[in-house]
């Protein structure tokens, strides 16, 4: 079975084609420092061919929701060092997912400052989780060109810290409506400067960040997560095929480890221009290793690998609930079901107490 065979990923050979998808667990402290419980959580899952961390804030003001971790203070770096060391001791490989939430945040958790975005357009029809409960989205502040250049540098700084913390690589979170995805979207980016107005200009921010990450990390150390057909967080494009194919073609020119593609999980009836299968449409454009995500189980993951586009399948909720997921796939064992109530926030319950098969 391909899922459980070794695969090459950049310069590494990884032990199977089962990756753990990035998952926010909101269990850092108020300073964005992860605890020993987080070390245990990732170590428990080190049998994955590749672990991708929860999204990690690149700066204090990149933050969208409370209790999410950071990678900008010495204390945060020291805490992540414990995670990477323990994962490496188990023979695991771990990438840090780098996060700037842009307009998906709220001033109550940003020292009173409004969230920032390509354009001053707030998210409608959704509410945001804050330390003071659910709140309506605010109208974000439009970034100046100088501020955009600074954020590109901030990603580079976080990547330097990821090296210090011992991560094998970094993944840019350019999916699910966060800042990079906002730049890529016609509904969130109405800029008329070099960062908006055309497919190429909307790609510019993501490509500048990716170049910065490659400059810092080197060859085969950088991946990117994209969700071309996910319209959550008010992200839409009139022609997503043109936008994301052009982006992936430009990414082909960079020495990346992988492109991580998330299929849309929401109904696409109102979006006739959206391809039904993002892995097929966009994965076939990529020259890099493709990681396929969203909604896979063992059988559908294996079937996806057999198609020959994706080389690795990432599992979110199933890996959250099954610390020994590759083993369970191998033995065709029953799977623990994820508990939605304990996904975000709290302590060990629903975090590190999902049983292993041996238990
Ligand atoms: C609790 C939870 C937190 C998540 N947090 C993130 C995140 O921080 N970054 C990210 O790119 N995706 C995040 N996701 C999305 C997953 O990476 C993945 O795309 C999604 O769960 C679909 O994969 P699955 O069907 O295998 O669960 C999260 C998903 C879950 C369930």
């Amino acid at each position: 079975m391909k899922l459980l065979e070794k695969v090459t990923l950049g310069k590494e050979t990884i032990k199977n084609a089962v990756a753990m998808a990035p998952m926010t667990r909101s269990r850092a402290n108020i300073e964005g420092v992860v605890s020993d419980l987080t070390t245990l959580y990732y170590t428990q899952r080190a049998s994955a061919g590749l672990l991708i961390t929860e999204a990690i804030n690149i700066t204090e003001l990149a933050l969208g929701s409370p209790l999410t971790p950071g990678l900008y203070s010495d204390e945060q770096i020291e805490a992540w060092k414990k995670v990477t060391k323990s994962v490496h001791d188990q023979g695991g490989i771990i990438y840090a997912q780098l996060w700037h939430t842009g307009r998906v945040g709220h001033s109550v958790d940003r020292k009173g400052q409004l969230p920032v975005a390509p354009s001053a357009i707030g998210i409608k029809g959704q509410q945001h989780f804050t330390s003071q409960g659910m709140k309506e989205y605010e109208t974000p502040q439009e970034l100046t060109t100088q501020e955009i250049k600074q954020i590109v540098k901030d990603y580079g700084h976080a990547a330097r810290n990821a090296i210090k913390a011992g991560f094998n690589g970094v993944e840019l979170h350019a999916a699910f409506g966060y800042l990079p995805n906002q730049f890529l979207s016609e509904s969130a980016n109405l800029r008329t400067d070099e960062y908006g107005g055309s497919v190429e200009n909307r790609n510019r921010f993501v490509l500048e960040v990716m170049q910065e990450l490659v400059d810092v990390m080197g060859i085969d150390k950088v991946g990117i997560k994209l969700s071309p057909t996910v319209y959550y967080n008010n992200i839409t494009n009139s022609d997503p095929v043109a936008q994301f194919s052009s982006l992936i073609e430009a990414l082909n020119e960079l020495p990346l480890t992988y492109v991580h593609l998330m299929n849309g999980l929401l109904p696409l009836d109102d979006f006739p221009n959206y391809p039904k299968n993002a892995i097929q449409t966009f994965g076939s454009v990529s020259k890099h290793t493709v990681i396929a995500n969203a909604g896979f189980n063992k059988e559908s993951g294996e079937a996806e690998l057999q198609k020959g586009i994706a080389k690795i399948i990432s599992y979110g909720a199933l890996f959250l609930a099954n610390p020994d997921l590759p083993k369970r796939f191998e033995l065709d064992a029953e799977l623990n079901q994820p508990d939605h109530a304990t996904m975000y926030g709290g302590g060990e319950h629903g975090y590190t107490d999902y049983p292993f098969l041996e238990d």
Side-chain angles (χ1 to χ4, degrees):
M1 182 191 313
K2 280 190 156 193
L3 259 180
L4 299 173
E5 284 170 18
K6 289 183 179 166
V7 277
T8 50
L9 179 66
K11 293 189 192 73
E12 321 253 15
T13 300
I14 61 173
K15 51 196 169 197
N16 54 52
V18 181
M20 175 161 138
M23 281 177 289
T24 293
R25 305 306 311 274
S26 308
R27 281 163 166 91
N29 70 13
I30 201 73
E31 263 86 47
V33 179
V34 295
S35 70
D36 290 346
L37 217 48
T38 300
T39 302
L40 177 61
Y41 166 72
Y42 285 109
T43 308
Q44 286 176 334
R45 287 157 181 77
S47 64
L50 171 68
L51 291 170
I52 307 165
T53 68
E54 62 209 277
I56 309 178
N57 299 302
I58 58 166
T59 57
E60 204 174 0
L61 289 178
L63 182 136
S65 290
L67 306 180
T68 52
L71 199 46
Y72 48 85
S73 76
D74 289 342
E75 215 189 332
Q76 292 164 350
I77 297 167
E78 288 309 310
W80 282 117
K81 263 186 200 168
K82 289 191 194 172
V83 175
T84 61
K85 175 166 188 323
S86 181
V87 166
H88 291 153
D89 286 348
Q90 296 296 313
I93 290 184
I94 182 163
Y95 270 49
Q97 192 188 49
L98 301 184
W99 203 18
H100 193 306
T101 57
R103 66 179 185 170
V104 189
H106 199 282
S107 58
V108 298
D109 291 316
R110 307 180 80 257
K111 299 176 180 289
Q113 292 191 38
L114 282 174
V116 294
S119 301
I121 308 167
I123 296 175
K124 305 271 186 313
Q126 287 176 218
Q127 288 192 320
H128 189 66
F129 173 74
T130 77
S131 56
Q132 296 172 20
M134 298 306 286
K135 290 202 180 284
E136 295 297 320
Y137 277 101
E138 300 159 304
T139 303
Q141 204 173 323
E142 179 174 317
L143 288 163
T144 64
T145 314
Q146 207 184 346
E147 286 168 335
I148 294 174
K149 305 270 181 215
Q150 182 55 49
I151 291 176
V152 172
K153 294 268 170 274
D154 292 341
Y155 274 103
H157 189 245
R160 264 178 219 107
N161 289 343
I163 295 173
K164 280 190 204 160
F167 286 105
N168 297 85
V170 296
E171 174 182 285
L172 175 67
H173 192 349
F176 229 68
Y178 295 107
L179 185 67
N181 201 180
Q182 290 158 33
F183 273 94
L184 294 170
S185 152
E186 278 167 297
S187 59
N189 179 356
L190 300 185
R191 297 182 77 91
T192 53
D193 63 1
E194 74 258 42
Y195 290 101
S198 66
V199 163
E200 288 72 24
N201 284 355
R202 281 191 294 275
N203 284 342
R204 192 175 310 280
F205 176 73
V206 169
L207 292 173
E208 286 183 0
V209 173
M210 291 302 281
Q211 183 65 59
E212 174 77 16
L213 295 178
V214 167
D215 289 348
V216 171
M217 303 292 301
I219 296 171
D220 287 335
K221 300 272 184 198
V222 182
I224 183 169
K225 187 175 184 205
L226 298 169
S227 56
T229 57
V230 172
Y231 52 84
Y232 187 68
N233 283 329
N234 292 184
I235 291 295
T236 55
N237 282 87
S238 57
D239 190 351
V241 176
Q243 184 71 49
F244 285 90
S245 301
S246 146
L247 177 67
I248 292 169
E249 276 164 19
L251 292 171
N252 282 341
E253 304 303 315
L254 292 173
L256 307 182
T257 337
Y258 64 80
V259 173
H260 189 176
L261 286 174
M262 185 184 179
N263 249 328
L265 290 173
L266 302 167
L268 291 173
D269 306 340
D270 294 338
F271 298 89
N273 286 347
Y274 280 44
K276 301 272 176 289
N277 186 337
I279 313 297
Q280 171 87 36
T281 304
F282 302 105
S284 52
V285 180
S286 181
K287 286 188 189 152
H288 296 298
T289 293
V290 170
I291 303 180
N293 172 248
F296 288 104
N297 59 22
K298 177 185 160 185
E299 287 71 29
S300 59
E302 183 63 23
E304 187 64 46
L305 292 181
Q306 295 295 344
K307 289 183 196 163
I309 294 175
K311 217 158 108 179
I312 296 170
I313 307 293
S314 77
Y315 294 88
L318 285 186
F319 230 130
L320 180 153
N322 294 276
D324 49 359
L325 189 64
K327 184 94 192 153
R328 286 179 192 249
F329 281 169
E330 187 188 327
L331 300 178
D332 261 327
E334 206 175 314
L335 299 178
N336 302 321
Q337 291 311 306
D339 170 25
H340 289 263
T342 51
M343 278 185 173
Y344 302 99
E348 64 182 354
H349 180 46
Y351 193 40
T352 52
D353 65 353
Y354 280 105
F356 283 76
L357 270 180
E358 298 81 65
D359 303 346

